[in-house]
Amino acid sequence: MEVAQRIKGLDSAIFNEMEHYKKQVEARGVKVINLGVGSPDRPPAPHIIAALHRAIDNPVNYRYPLEGLPALHQALARWYRRRFGVELDPDHEVLVLMGSQDGLAHIALAYINPGDVALVPDPGYPIYACSILLAGGEIYAMPLLAENNFLPDLASIPGEVARRARLMWLNYPNNPVAVSANREFFERVVDFARHYGILVCHDAAYAELAYDGFKPMSFLEVPGAKEVGVEFYSLSKTYNMAGCRIGFAVGNRDVLAALARIKSNIDYGVFRAVQEAGIAALEGPQSCVEETARTYQRRRDVLVDGLARYGWHMPKPNASMFVWAPLPAGYTSSRQFALELLERAGVLVIPGLAFGAMGEGYVRIALVQEEELLAEAVESIGRAFSFR
């Protein structure tokens, strides 16, 4: 049977290929240090796990949840006020999701008709492009280039494209390029979106994984942002709750109502026990968030400083759980270099090409192993390669 046309453009070939080669290397008895998938490796704080334990024992929590608990909506609204100074109506400007990916995948179904244009960053997290393709839309790639600080150049988007565009994807702190955006950029985005009638969807999953005293901002801090957009936030990275699948969409109430309408025809909501754990995370001690950020900062320093000693230089990110590493001198193919890194050093990273054509020339390294393993990866790379 032939599959539907809509999935023919979906491609995870590079990710699958790297996993295939990892298994081959491991079958030879080689230890592989996996710095590929950006999955948090630390557990949630004890008070979050305790809240989940208590909630699991409550038989009421095993009914269909259907919608977010009011207490969770209120907790997230209070958290946004404390963290960003952004006021949210918990009844109409907060939507609970089964992880932010749930919203990232489905929002296009509410706003993209076949043939509509969406503005998608390249390189970018794959779900942005996938969501548009599944809705039958057309992608206009916004290049993220080092010379533009990896921010899309809105002025370079042709007027005829902008007039056809219905939706724009943004993600700062960014995956995979590991940079952040400032207020001036977000102000330009709001003006651009208002002028052309474009819905802005900002993915802020990494807002709390920030280093050296840096505090990323919310897109919604900019005046007028709620008029043109929504922001997606997740508890996965902030509180190490990735397996719990809980996140939020916040902002424009009409957009959230449309997304909620899509979701009401697809799922039955987030397990209430997980929602109660989410309340504990948002309302409880935040020292765990600070410690998680410090952990990733130490890992970043072990990796970046260590590789620099061997002649492979890369920028130090100020946020996210990734390093976006330019290929060493003499290499032009991110796929080939990643395969050599796996074969010769036993270290798995993701070729930049997996995130779009503009990702060529880079590899993404996830800081998802303890410092000792990262130091081991550095030494293994140093022994296997000569970058000087």
Side-chain angles (χ1 to χ4, degrees):
M1 296 183 184
E2 186 175 0
V3 298
Q5 191 68 31
R6 70 176 62 86
I7 77 165
K8 291 183 178 179
L10 307 184
D11 187 7
S12 58
I14 296 179
F15 292 94
N16 292 341
E17 182 181 27
M18 295 306 299
E19 179 64 22
H20 170 73
Y21 281 111
K22 178 176 82 74
K23 291 177 179 177
Q24 286 189 343
V25 171
E26 288 175 328
R28 299 201 302 265
V30 176
K31 174 184 176 181
V32 172
I33 300 176
N34 192 342
L35 306 181
V37 178
S39 178
D41 61 304
R42 294 167 60 84
H47 69 277
I48 300 173
I49 296 176
L52 184 59
H53 272 273
R54 291 192 299 271
I56 284 173
D57 289 333
N58 186 349
V60 172
N61 286 337
Y62 291 86
R63 301 171 184 173
Y64 284 130
L66 296 181
E67 58 186 14
L69 295 172
L72 179 58
H73 284 238
Q74 293 158 11
L76 193 278
R78 285 191 291 269
W79 187 90
Y80 252 77
R81 184 187 307 119
R82 291 194 307 268
R83 172 62 178 85
F84 299 117
V86 171
E87 296 290 337
L88 296 172
D89 178 349
D91 295 327
H92 301 102
E93 295 179 342
V94 176
L95 178 66
V96 178
L97 303 170
M98 292 192 289
S100 59
Q101 179 109 340
D102 172 15
L104 303 179
H106 291 126
I107 187 69
L109 295 177
Y111 284 93
I112 295 293
N113 291 311
D116 285 343
V117 170
L119 307 176
V120 179
D122 181 359
Y125 184 46
I127 193 61
Y128 308 146
C130 290
S131 70
I132 304 305
L133 294 174
L134 288 173
E138 298 178 11
I139 293 171
Y140 180 85
M142 300 186 295
L144 304 187
L145 305 175
E147 54 264 37
N148 294 331
N149 298 315
F150 295 104
L151 301 173
D153 181 5
L154 302 179
S156 71
I157 299 173
E160 61 270 22
V161 172
R163 283 187 287 273
R164 291 182 58 208
R166 297 287 308 279
L167 186 151
M168 175 194 292
W169 280 114
L170 294 174
N171 166 218
Y172 294 100
N174 188 277
N175 173 18
V177 302
V179 299
S180 300
N182 58 22
R183 182 176 296 273
E184 180 185 358
F185 171 73
F186 283 138
E187 288 173 347
R188 293 200 302 271
V189 168
V190 170
D191 290 341
F192 183 87
R194 183 184 289 121
H195 180 76
Y196 288 106
I198 295 171
L199 168 63
V200 177
C201 296
H202 180 237
D203 179 3
Y206 301 95
E208 299 312 290
L209 296 188
Y211 319 128
D212 306 315
F214 175 63
K215 285 288 188 181
M217 66 176 293
S218 164
F219 167 68
L220 298 180
E221 290 183 50
V222 174
K226 273 192 202 176
E227 299 171 18
V228 298
V230 293
E231 187 161 78
F232 295 90
Y233 182 69
S234 168
L235 303 191
S236 295
K237 278 69 178 185
T238 302
Y239 298 101
N240 296 310
M241 296 176 66
C244 293
R245 308 315 305 138
I246 182 167
F248 304 89
V250 298
N252 187 287
R253 64 179 59 202
D254 294 331
V255 175
L256 298 188
L259 178 56
R261 187 172 178 182
I262 293 288
K263 283 180 50 58
S264 69
N265 286 275
I266 293 174
D267 66 69
Y268 289 99
V270 175
F271 182 29
R272 286 187 183 182
V274 170
Q275 294 193 53
E276 292 193 21
I279 295 170
L282 293 163
E283 300 276 68
Q286 300 299 296
S287 56
C288 59
V289 178
E290 298 162 5
E291 176 53 33
T292 295
R294 285 193 293 269
T295 296
Y296 280 106
Q297 179 174 327
R298 290 193 298 268
R299 293 177 179 184
R300 175 204 66 177
D301 292 345
V302 166
L303 181 85
V304 175
D305 293 343
L307 290 173
R309 290 197 300 271
Y310 289 108
W312 186 10
H313 298 279
M314 56 199 68
K316 272 191 177 181
N318 62 5
S320 88
M321 61 194 302
F322 305 105
V323 173
W324 188 237
L327 298 184
Y331 289 91
T332 57
S333 167
S334 60
R335 174 185 173 276
Q336 184 59 40
F337 177 68
L339 289 175
E340 286 192 32
L341 208 60
L342 179 59
E343 290 281 347
R344 294 166 57 182
V347 177
L348 189 152
V349 302
I350 301 298
L353 194 60
F355 304 97
M358 302 308 298
E360 186 57 281
Y362 296 84
V363 292
R364 191 194 73 175
I365 308 174
L367 303 170
V368 292
Q369 302 288 354
E370 296 291 356
E371 292 167 55
E372 294 78 10
L373 269 181
L374 287 171
E376 185 178 332
V378 167
E379 295 305 314
S380 181
I381 293 171
R383 287 193 302 269
F385 291 84
S386 176
F387 298 127
R388 299 186 189 282

